[in-house]
Structure formats: structure tokens, C-alpha cells
Amino acid sequence: MHNAAYFHLFESARIQCFQEMLGPDWDWNQEGVVLVENNAQYLIPVSLSDQVSVSLHVTKIGNKSFTIAYQVWMQEKEHCRGHSTLVCYNHSTQKSIAIPEKLKTVLNQLT
């Protein structure tokens, strides 16, 4: 698996989690996020045909930003770990915003 594919795994896990926990009516334009940092540590190679799973949890919650840690697993072995830092952002005003209360509640559930 190409190294960049791990970041897609992180993003897919993050999006799925947010969609499930915030619901389909969340206004990502007014209360969105932007990615400001992405990091991965590659531990064991994964092939394209391998079936992996991704776990995530929140490691830090600030006023406007938060950090999510990820682990990529296959056959009960950790193959990659990483983290992303995201800032809450209003895409209409193009300004960072405080973490909305509903999102903060979700983030606290993921710690």
C-alpha cells in the first residue's frame, strides 16, 4: 500500500465517525473543520489486497482545535499509527471558530 493511502484511511475513519455521531443535518459549511497537520508512523507494511481496520480516539481538545490519533490494524497487529490536528472553521466567513458544543460533546466521547 502506498504511504499516502494511510492518510485516506485516517480521513475515511474520521468522516464515518463524524457522520454517525453528528448526524446528516450537521452544517459543515458553518461549523466545519480544516486539517492543519497529518502525521503517520509506518510500523509494518500492508499490501493493497490486505483487509485492515482503523481505530481512532481524541487525544487533545482545545478551544478551536482538536487532535485525533489513529491506529491501522491487521490480524491483531498494529501496522501504522498517526494523528491529525483539525481546526474548526466557518467556510462562509473563512475564519476559525470555537469548537461547537455538539462537536465538543462528540469529541469528549471519543477520548
Side-chain angles (χ1 to χ4, degrees):
M1 180 180 296
H2 188 275
N3 291 357
Y6 291 91
F7 294 113
H8 179 69
L9 291 173
F10 296 170
E11 179 183 40
S12 294
R14 184 173 67 241
I15 289 171
Q16 180 180 348
C17 181
F18 285 158
Q19 287 177 337
E20 289 174 3
M21 297 185 82
L22 292 170
D25 297 328
W26 185 260
D27 186 352
W28 289 103
N29 191 49
Q30 298 296 316
E31 297 180 317
V33 295
V34 291
L35 180 70
V36 296
E37 181 183 350
N38 230 1
N39 177 305
Q41 181 181 7
Y42 309 103
L43 306 172
I44 303 171
V46 174
S47 297
L48 283 174
S49 60
D50 289 339
Q51 295 294 316
V52 299
S53 63
V54 180
S55 61
L56 62 81
H57 65 279
V58 173
T59 59
K60 181 180 176 190
I61 302 172
N63 294 321
K64 294 183 175 186
S65 67
F66 57 94
T67 301
I68 300 176
Y70 312 90
Q71 293 176 290
V72 177
W73 297 90
M74 187 178 72
Q75 299 176 349
E76 299 182 20
K77 290 184 182 176
E78 183 183 20
H79 285 251
C80 180
R81 68 176 66 122
H83 68 268
S84 300
T85 300
L86 298 106
V87 173
C88 291
Y89 192 78
N90 182 314
H91 292 275
S92 296
T93 63
Q94 297 186 349
K95 294 183 188 254
S96 63
I97 58 172
I99 298 173
E101 285 305 314
K102 184 175 179 180
L103 178 55
K104 192 176 282 190
T105 298
V106 166
L107 296 174
N108 280 309
Q109 292 173 8
L110 295 172
T111 58

